[in-house]
């Protein structure tokens, strides 16, 4: 009698445990599926972020003024060294005049892997005409100012987020910002950034940078 009772008890226990075990297996399977789906989703999100980060296109409010086609367009500028590329952009004509007066065309065109902070015509227009005329006719001072706008390495937007860089003038410029909003030396705004030329990355700014020394 006791043996029969024990057998019934074992059978009942096994019957009770089996559904629980099957349920646990089923739950684990669901978790695995969820984990796989989550991993796939994360992978897709990371892939999307990478694609966005690798877009590497010019940005900023003033980019719309750049010609869509021809030598002054973004594609056209990418084919020429920086001084030549700037000469094909109507918004940089005052800068180009200054570069020519300082005798820096060949220096900039022959440099390798540089960054140029390029003031627009409107940036130069902020300087009183008498002062600007004086600077344009003082080659040493003009050279000092222009070389202060050039960094001896190619800077990406990521580099500009919080940076301090030596210029060809031998003093530093500082940058800050994120996304599509950056400043140089705390006040000059990048209005069209990450413009590629054959030998430089160009950031067009709304203010002429002045060396402190």
């Amino acid at each position: 009698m006791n043996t029969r009772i024990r057998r019934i008890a074992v059978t009942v226990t096994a019957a009770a445990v089996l559904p629980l075990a099957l349920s646990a297996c089923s739950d684990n399977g669901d978790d695995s599926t969820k984990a796989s789906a989550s991993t796939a989703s994360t992978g897709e999100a990371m892939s999307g972020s990478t694609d966005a980060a690798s877009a590497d296109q010019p940005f900023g409010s003033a980019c719309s003024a750049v010609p869509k086609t021809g030598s002054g367009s973004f594609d056209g500028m990418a084919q020429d060294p920086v001084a030549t590329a700037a000469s094909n952009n109507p918004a940089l004509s005052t800068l180009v005049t200054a570069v020519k007066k300082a005798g820096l065309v060949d220096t900039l065109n022959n440099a390798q892997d540089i960054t140029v902070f390029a003031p627009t015509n409107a940036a130069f227009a902020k300087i009183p005409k008498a002062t600007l005329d004086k600077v344009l006719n003082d080659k040493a001072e003009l050279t000092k100012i222009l070389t202060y706008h050039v960094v001896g390495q190619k800077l990406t937007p990521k580099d500009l987020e919080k940076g301090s860089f030596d210029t060809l003038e031998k003093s530093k410029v500082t940058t800050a910002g994120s996304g599509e909003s950056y400043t140089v030396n705390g006040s000059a705004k990048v209005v069209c950034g990450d413009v590629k030329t054959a030998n430089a990355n160009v950031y067009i700014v709304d203010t002429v940078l002045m060396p402190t020394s």
Side-chain angles (χ1 to χ4, degrees), residues 107-115 151-154 198-200:
T107 298
L108 293 177
N109 276 348
N110 293 328
Q112 295 299 315
D113 298 331
I114 59 175
T115 293
V151 172
Q153 65 187 86
K154 282 188 175 180
N199 66 329

mmCIF file of all heavy atoms in Angstrom, residues 107-115 151-154 198-200:
data_model
loop_
_atom_site.group_PDB
_atom_site.id
_atom_site.type_symbol
_atom_site.label_atom_id
_atom_site.label_comp_id
_atom_site.label_asym_id
_atom_site.label_seq_id
_atom_site.Cartn_x
_atom_site.Cartn_y
_atom_site.Cartn_z
ATOM 1 N N THR A 107 51.557 80.085 -51.469
ATOM 2 C CA THR A 107 51.756 79.469 -50.151
ATOM 3 C C THR A 107 50.553 78.616 -49.765
ATOM 4 O O THR A 107 50.703 77.467 -49.330
ATOM 5 C CB THR A 107 51.970 80.558 -49.080
ATOM 6 O OG1 THR A 107 53.145 81.302 -49.403
ATOM 7 C CG2 THR A 107 52.133 79.935 -47.693
ATOM 8 N N LEU A 108 49.359 79.164 -49.949
ATOM 9 C CA LEU A 108 48.145 78.428 -49.585
ATOM 10 C C LEU A 108 47.862 77.293 -50.556
ATOM 11 O O LEU A 108 47.454 76.198 -50.144
ATOM 12 C CB LEU A 108 46.954 79.385 -49.536
ATOM 13 C CG LEU A 108 46.987 80.436 -48.424
ATOM 14 C CD1 LEU A 108 45.797 81.366 -48.530
ATOM 15 C CD2 LEU A 108 47.018 79.771 -47.049
ATOM 16 N N ASN A 109 48.070 77.543 -51.837
ATOM 17 C CA ASN A 109 47.790 76.492 -52.829
ATOM 18 C C ASN A 109 48.738 75.307 -52.711
ATOM 19 O O ASN A 109 48.367 74.175 -53.023
ATOM 20 C CB ASN A 109 47.873 77.071 -54.242
ATOM 21 C CG ASN A 109 46.577 77.730 -54.671
ATOM 22 O OD1 ASN A 109 45.539 77.583 -54.016
ATOM 23 N ND2 ASN A 109 46.618 78.458 -55.782
ATOM 24 N N ASN A 110 49.965 75.552 -52.256
ATOM 25 C CA ASN A 110 50.954 74.478 -52.187
ATOM 26 C C ASN A 110 50.999 73.786 -50.833
ATOM 27 O O ASN A 110 51.673 72.768 -50.676
ATOM 28 C CB ASN A 110 52.351 75.026 -52.516
ATOM 29 C CG ASN A 110 52.473 75.467 -53.974
ATOM 30 O OD1 ASN A 110 51.838 74.876 -54.848
ATOM 31 N ND2 ASN A 110 53.258 76.500 -54.244
ATOM 32 N N ALA A 111 50.306 74.352 -49.855
ATOM 33 C CA ALA A 111 50.270 73.725 -48.525
ATOM 34 C C ALA A 111 49.485 72.421 -48.591
ATOM 35 O O ALA A 111 48.614 72.244 -49.442
ATOM 36 C CB ALA A 111 49.642 74.677 -47.516
ATOM 37 N N GLN A 112 49.793 71.525 -47.677
ATOM 38 C CA GLN A 112 49.114 70.228 -47.645
ATOM 39 C C GLN A 112 48.332 70.075 -46.345
ATOM 40 O O GLN A 112 48.832 70.400 -45.264
ATOM 41 C CB GLN A 112 50.127 69.088 -47.770
ATOM 42 C CG GLN A 112 50.850 69.058 -49.106
ATOM 43 C CD GLN A 112 49.894 68.867 -50.276
ATOM 44 O OE1 GLN A 112 49.001 68.018 -50.233
ATOM 45 N NE2 GLN A 112 50.075 69.654 -51.324
ATOM 46 N N ASP A 113 47.110 69.598 -46.464
ATOM 47 C CA ASP A 113 46.297 69.250 -45.283
ATOM 48 C C ASP A 113 46.194 70.399 -44.288
ATOM 49 O O ASP A 113 46.685 70.310 -43.153
ATOM 50 C CB ASP A 113 46.866 68.003 -44.593
ATOM 51 C CG ASP A 113 46.823 66.788 -45.498
ATOM 52 O OD1 ASP A 113 45.930 66.723 -46.365
ATOM 53 O OD2 ASP A 113 47.685 65.899 -45.341
ATOM 54 N N ILE A 114 45.551 71.471 -44.700
ATOM 55 C CA ILE A 114 45.366 72.622 -43.833
ATOM 56 C C ILE A 114 43.876 72.904 -43.632
ATOM 57 O O ILE A 114 43.026 72.333 -44.331
ATOM 58 C CB ILE A 114 46.048 73.891 -44.405
ATOM 59 C CG1 ILE A 114 45.478 74.237 -45.799
ATOM 60 C CG2 ILE A 114 47.557 73.715 -44.445
ATOM 61 C CD1 ILE A 114 46.004 75.541 -46.379
ATOM 62 N N THR A 115 43.584 73.761 -42.664
ATOM 63 C CA THR A 115 42.230 74.257 -42.467
ATOM 64 C C THR A 115 42.258 75.771 -42.587
ATOM 65 O O THR A 115 43.146 76.421 -42.016
ATOM 66 C CB THR A 115 41.690 73.857 -41.081
ATOM 67 O OG1 THR A 115 41.536 72.437 -41.036
ATOM 68 C CG2 THR A 115 40.337 74.518 -40.798
ATOM 69 N N VAL A 151 45.175 76.908 -40.075
ATOM 70 C CA VAL A 151 45.682 75.894 -39.151
ATOM 71 C C VAL A 151 46.372 74.811 -39.968
ATOM 72 O O VAL A 151 45.858 74.402 -41.019
ATOM 73 C CB VAL A 151 44.534 75.285 -38.314
ATOM 74 C CG1 VAL A 151 45.016 74.093 -37.480
ATOM 75 C CG2 VAL A 151 43.920 76.355 -37.410
ATOM 76 N N GLY A 152 47.498 74.336 -39.494
ATOM 77 C CA GLY A 152 48.309 73.396 -40.263
ATOM 78 C C GLY A 152 47.868 71.954 -40.204
ATOM 79 O O GLY A 152 48.694 71.034 -40.250
ATOM 80 N N GLN A 153 46.581 71.707 -40.099
ATOM 81 C CA GLN A 153 46.029 70.353 -40.157
ATOM 82 C C GLN A 153 44.580 70.452 -40.590
ATOM 83 O O GLN A 153 43.953 71.508 -40.445
ATOM 84 C CB GLN A 153 46.124 69.673 -38.786
ATOM 85 C CG GLN A 153 45.266 70.330 -37.709
ATOM 86 C CD GLN A 153 45.482 69.755 -36.325
ATOM 87 O OE1 GLN A 153 46.374 70.173 -35.612
ATOM 88 N NE2 GLN A 153 44.664 68.787 -35.950
ATOM 89 N N LYS A 154 44.063 69.360 -41.131
ATOM 90 C CA LYS A 154 42.659 69.342 -41.531
ATOM 91 C C LYS A 154 41.791 69.066 -40.316
ATOM 92 O O LYS A 154 41.954 68.045 -39.640
ATOM 93 C CB LYS A 154 42.421 68.277 -42.613
ATOM 94 C CG LYS A 154 42.872 68.697 -44.000
ATOM 95 C CD LYS A 154 42.431 67.678 -45.036
ATOM 96 C CE LYS A 154 42.784 68.149 -46.449
ATOM 97 N NZ LYS A 154 42.361 67.176 -47.482
ATOM 98 N N ALA A 198 40.961 70.861 -52.672
ATOM 99 C CA ALA A 198 41.924 69.788 -52.951
ATOM 100 C C ALA A 198 42.943 69.608 -51.824
ATOM 101 O O ALA A 198 43.441 68.504 -51.614
ATOM 102 C CB ALA A 198 42.642 70.068 -54.272
ATOM 103 N N ASN A 199 43.243 70.681 -51.086
ATOM 104 C CA ASN A 199 44.274 70.567 -50.047
ATOM 105 C C ASN A 199 43.838 71.093 -48.682
ATOM 106 O O ASN A 199 44.654 71.198 -47.771
ATOM 107 C CB ASN A 199 45.550 71.295 -50.476
ATOM 108 C CG ASN A 199 45.349 72.797 -50.591
ATOM 109 O OD1 ASN A 199 44.249 73.269 -50.910
ATOM 110 N ND2 ASN A 199 46.401 73.570 -50.332
ATOM 111 N N ALA A 200 42.564 71.448 -48.538
ATOM 112 C CA ALA A 200 42.152 72.071 -47.270
ATOM 113 C C ALA A 200 40.689 71.789 -46.946
ATOM 114 O O ALA A 200 39.885 71.509 -47.833
ATOM 115 C CB ALA A 200 42.378 73.577 -47.347
#
